[in-house]
Amino acid sequence: MDIAAGATPRVSIGMPVYNAAKHLPGAIDSFLAQGFADFELIISDNASTDRTGDIARRYAARDPRIRYVRQPRNIGAAGNFAYVLGEARGDFFQWAAHDDLWRPFWLERAVAALDAEPEIGFAFPSFAIKDQIFGFLDEYDPGIFAFVESRDSRARLLHFLALHFSHKCNIVYSLFRTEFMRQAIQSQGLENDGVLAAVCVGRAKGKVIAGFPFLKRWGLVRSWIRRAVPLSQRREANFRNDVARSVPVLEVAFPWAVSELRVIMEAMRPGHFPKGYRVVDVERLLDHAAVAL
């Protein structure tokens, strides 16, 4: 598909990077291999000190859809994420990590889902974790995230919050309606991806795209080894502090679910749990909320 020079693309991919030279070519190659070609790729380099800039410039010279910007100074991760969203011109927007990979059918299926259902705010890619060293895959059952398709905003929110890790913050790497995401960060900001993901899930239903189009590079072997080691006091304290900091922000964002989110947050415990594990019985919590109403 040929994209006319200067034409407004349907999709904007925002890629905030810093010292990303090791994995950047693989990520960009996976974007350029997409069957859906009507996109722009905005790479914002947060004053890297490695070869990130050289690599990005080479790709930009070969493909007019790629725009490379080097920040004169490091503006922080949140600032860099905000920058690429601010530069987006497309109807749809997605953040892209420099060390993740997309399968070729991802954008085509995601755009089709958003076009088919105007009421959904985002298309969420089912995903597999790819070990950074050995390359093998660990697939996550898409059913874990089926709650994003519920029409009930309370159910979506509580299922998301009750989910213990399971890489649930990957929701921020969905394909969003651009204005939807801009409105979401006005109320929340970009400092906490877990809270931002909760805001997105609470504001609109999504669509899960099957087939594991998203491959997230992760230290699988390292994480398995860590599971065999008891949590240090420092890690446990950090976990509890993170939970405590998120509670008041969530209460402001969702005043209609304060009592339920407090129950969930009080039940949160550090540790390693099976995929899809939820810290409370969400259906029972929903029944209790319905009675209270």
Side-chain angles (χ1 to χ4, degrees):
M1 178 179 179
D2 294 327
I3 308 301
T8 301
R10 292 214 67 202
V11 173
S12 295
I13 304 168
M15 194 178 200
V17 296
Y18 175 72
N19 286 354
K22 182 177 180 180
H23 295 300
L24 185 60
I28 296 178
D29 286 341
S30 78
F31 307 155
L32 299 183
Q34 292 296 303
F36 182 91
D38 189 5
F39 66 82
E40 63 177 349
L41 171 59
I42 307 157
I43 304 174
S44 176
D45 182 353
N46 214 358
S48 293
T49 58
D50 66 356
R51 296 178 54 252
T52 293
D54 294 336
I55 294 168
R57 288 187 190 94
R58 284 203 302 271
Y59 275 96
R62 299 203 310 255
D63 194 313
R65 295 173 297 176
I66 300 175
R67 182 155 42 109
Y68 170 73
V69 178
R70 178 178 172 84
Q71 302 297 337
R73 58 179 178 79
N74 192 306
I75 58 176
N80 213 19
F81 271 72
Y83 177 83
V84 292
L85 176 58
E87 291 292 303
R89 298 181 297 148
D91 296 328
F92 307 130
F93 173 81
Q94 180 167 358
W95 281 298
H98 75 276
D99 54 352
D100 294 335
L101 302 169
W102 298 354
R103 285 186 165 132
F105 58 82
W106 161 238
L107 283 182
E108 184 175 13
R109 293 186 186 178
V111 169
L114 289 165
D115 281 342
E117 299 183 60
E119 74 275 13
I120 68 174
F122 58 95
F124 172 66
S126 56
F127 62 91
I129 306 300
K130 183 174 184 178
D131 185 72
Q132 291 175 330
I133 299 174
F134 299 103
F136 53 79
L137 300 179
D138 184 17
E139 295 177 342
Y140 274 61
D141 179 0
I144 294 172
F145 300 93
F147 64 87
V148 305
E149 298 186 358
S150 171
R151 293 185 179 277
D152 185 339
S153 59
R154 189 183 298 269
R156 294 194 306 268
L157 176 66
L158 299 187
H159 273 288
F160 173 81
L161 293 176
L163 192 59
H164 195 287
F165 189 53
S166 292
H167 294 278
K168 65 181 182 181
C169 293
N170 282 345
I171 282 176
V172 301
Y173 289 104
S174 300
L175 182 68
F176 294 94
R177 298 189 191 278
T178 304
E179 289 309 312
F180 171 83
M181 177 50 70
R182 285 176 173 155
Q183 291 172 16
I185 67 167
Q186 285 178 3
S187 67
Q188 161 51 35
L190 288 163
E191 289 73 21
N192 186 316
D193 59 353
V195 176
L196 178 60
V199 167
C200 292
V201 168
R203 282 178 168 238
K205 62 177 288 192
K207 181 74 173 179
V208 179
I209 306 300
F212 307 104
F214 181 52
L215 302 180
K216 181 180 179 67
R217 285 195 178 104
W218 188 261
L220 271 175
V221 173
R222 184 175 67 248
S223 69
W224 291 340
I225 292 172
R226 290 175 68 183
R227 290 180 187 180
V229 179
L231 286 174
S232 67
Q233 290 184 341
R234 180 181 177 183
R235 285 177 61 199
E236 185 168 345
N238 287 342
F239 178 92
R240 295 186 184 282
N241 288 337
D242 287 344
V243 170
R245 282 194 297 267
S246 68
V247 170
V249 181
L250 288 167
E251 289 179 348
V252 171
F254 302 105
W256 42 266
V258 168
S259 61
E260 297 99 306
L261 71 86
R262 285 180 180 173
V263 170
I264 292 172
M265 291 306 174
E266 287 173 4
M268 277 290 175
R269 298 289 184 271
H272 304 293
F273 298 90
K275 298 173 185 174
Y277 175 77
R278 287 175 170 81
V279 299
V280 298
D281 183 334
V282 176
E283 296 306 320
R284 180 176 295 180
L285 201 58
L286 287 167
D287 288 343
H288 178 77
V291 172
L293 291 174

